[in-house]
Amino acid sequence: MRNVKKDFVTIADISKEQIMYMLEMASEFEKYPNREILKGKVVATLFFEPSTRTRLSFETAANRLGAKVIGFADPKVSSGTKGETLKDTILMVSNYADVIVMRHYIEGAAQYASEVSPVPIVNAGDGAHQHPSQCMLDVYSIYKTQGTLENLNIYLVGDLKYGRTVHSLVMAMRHFNPTFHFVAPKELAMPKEYKLYCKEHGIKYKEHSDFNENVIADADIIYMTRVQKERFSDLMEYERVKNVYILKADMLGKAKENMKILHPLPRVNEIAYDVDDNPHAYYIQQAGNGLFAREAIFCDVLGITLDEVRNDKTIINP
């Protein structure tokens, strides 16, 4: 019987059990990241929108697991410049690859690709909608630093309107009884549909416009975001809000000992450089966790189980 194709497009459909399963798999890859468990496989990376960390960590994950990588980082070199449709691009690439990793500037593009593709689609970000692989490394980072995902105070700060990483995180954490604190100017507030999502799923949240050491004193996680210039049609509005919330070292005096600062990166100026050496800073390590999370995603969509990963005999330089 033919296996059902498995995509990784949205965090909304992933159960609590599946999240914990993926975190266990990521932990196995953190112990031994170099293997040949995907030897003979081809991964295509199609990036219709700029990316550094996401693209490089996906390609590194594929390489460290023994797969070959094809694709493009600049859509100008693809046949899309000749008028080829996304459907035709996906169908064409699926002739060559076992799995397609795609970032696109249009919301819903990854879902559409998954509906037409005969091979698994992994969503590497679609517009301001979702970023599920970033979400998995975020959740893994929270779990590693807190020792649990349950009952945490999570502060989401900055661009909550266009920030696809925070939208995905709200959905992923619905299983773990969080209290979210949305810290944003009104121009960049969490969209109504995500606040409605919180109400429908019993997720507690509070909204703040102030950002100071007293507001963040109860935080277990502070998740900073950059104000995304590329999402603004009005650059005057961008200039007005880009420097509203900047986290500085002198704001951390009342922070809980376990509190960690996350950021999906790249940062512009929303985390001052004097925070980098603070023990609460975790955003560089967080980016490193992306390798292990994306190795787990590749294996999951390609039908490789946690038991197979644990019993893998292809480990290199253990």
Side-chain angles (χ1 to χ4, degrees):
M1 189 174 73
R2 183 179 177 273
N3 289 334
V4 176
K5 178 172 70 84
K6 189 171 188 179
D7 302 296
F8 191 78
V9 168
T10 173
I11 211 75
D13 299 333
I14 298 179
S15 68
K16 180 177 184 177
E17 292 72 26
Q18 178 69 4
I19 288 174
M20 299 310 297
Y21 178 89
M22 295 287 284
L23 297 188
E24 286 188 62
M25 195 179 283
S27 179
E28 291 296 318
F29 284 120
E30 183 164 7
K31 294 173 192 171
Y32 303 113
N34 299 321
R35 305 164 183 251
E36 293 188 339
I37 200 167
L38 295 187
K39 190 173 183 179
K41 300 291 187 184
V42 175
V43 172
T45 55
L46 310 185
F47 278 73
F48 295 88
E49 191 178 50
S51 170
T52 301
R53 273 150 301 278
T54 301
R55 181 175 63 84
L56 292 180
S57 68
F58 266 120
E59 293 183 356
T60 301
N63 281 309
R64 288 193 181 277
L65 295 181
K68 297 288 195 298
V69 178
I70 62 172
F72 56 81
D74 182 354
K76 294 187 183 71
V77 305
S78 77
S79 289
T81 59
K82 303 174 185 176
E84 183 173 69
T85 64
L86 177 60
K87 177 181 179 180
D88 284 358
T89 298
I90 294 297
L91 290 175
M92 179 272 298
V93 174
S94 69
N95 287 321
Y96 313 139
D98 299 286
V99 56
I100 296 172
V101 179
M102 188 180 86
R103 168 170 285 190
H104 205 281
Y105 50 88
I106 296 175
E107 293 186 22
Q111 180 62 44
Y112 173 74
S114 74
E115 291 166 3
V116 301
S117 173
V119 302
I121 296 291
V122 176
N123 182 5
D126 60 327
H129 184 220
Q130 287 214 18
H131 198 344
S133 71
Q134 175 73 42
C135 186
M136 286 308 302
L137 77 92
D138 291 344
V139 172
Y140 185 52
S141 298
I142 294 170
Y143 187 68
K144 278 182 65 177
T145 61
Q146 304 302 310
T148 182
L149 294 175
E150 302 284 351
N151 306 313
L152 297 174
N153 275 322
I154 301 175
Y155 285 63
L156 307 179
V157 183
D159 183 357
L160 308 187
K161 180 178 181 180
Y162 300 111
R164 56 193 171 196
T165 61
V166 296
H167 300 161
S168 293
L169 190 60
V170 166
M171 290 182 166
M173 292 301 295
R174 71 190 184 278
H175 304 294
F176 304 103
N177 193 37
T179 299
F180 280 108
H181 296 258
F182 301 150
V183 185
K186 65 180 187 301
E187 296 94 337
L188 296 175
M190 183 65 75
K192 288 181 181 177
E193 60 262 36
Y194 291 101
K195 289 189 277 189
L196 181 60
Y197 183 91
C198 287
K199 289 175 181 175
E200 289 174 345
H201 290 83
I203 300 170
K204 299 182 290 294
Y205 72 87
K206 300 177 183 177
E207 294 186 271
H208 307 266
S209 56
D210 291 333
F211 183 54
N212 55 53
E213 66 176 347
N214 293 320
V215 170
I216 63 177
D218 289 332
D220 297 303
I221 295 291
I222 296 176
Y223 193 102
M224 300 296 297
T225 66
R226 112 187 129 87
V227 177
Q228 301 177 71
K229 185 177 183 179
E230 66 271 24
R231 307 286 179 208
F232 282 78
S233 55
D234 182 352
L235 288 182
M236 291 295 289
E237 184 180 353
Y238 167 74
E239 291 296 328
R240 211 166 38 243
V241 300
K242 68 176 183 178
N243 293 323
V244 172
Y245 300 128
I246 298 175
L247 182 63
K248 301 175 182 176
D250 62 11
M251 295 168 62
L252 300 174
K254 296 182 179 179
K256 293 165 68 172
E257 187 175 344
N258 64 295
M259 189 276 283
K260 294 298 179 187
I261 302 159
L262 305 185
H263 192 306
L265 302 177
R267 75 170 150 184
V268 182
N269 61 349
E270 58 280 348
I271 299 179
Y273 287 104
D274 65 3
V275 175
D276 290 359
D277 296 326
N278 191 286
H280 294 293
Y282 193 76
Y283 30 92
I284 302 302
Q285 299 95 316
Q286 174 192 3
N289 289 334
L291 171 63
F292 318 125
R294 288 171 174 131
E295 287 183 319
I297 290 167
F298 277 141
C299 287
D300 190 53
V301 298
L302 290 170
I304 297 169
T305 67
L306 178 57
D307 283 342
E308 288 174 300
V309 172
R310 285 176 171 154
N311 296 321
D312 179 26
K313 299 295 191 289
T314 70
I315 293 170
I316 300 169
N317 298 325

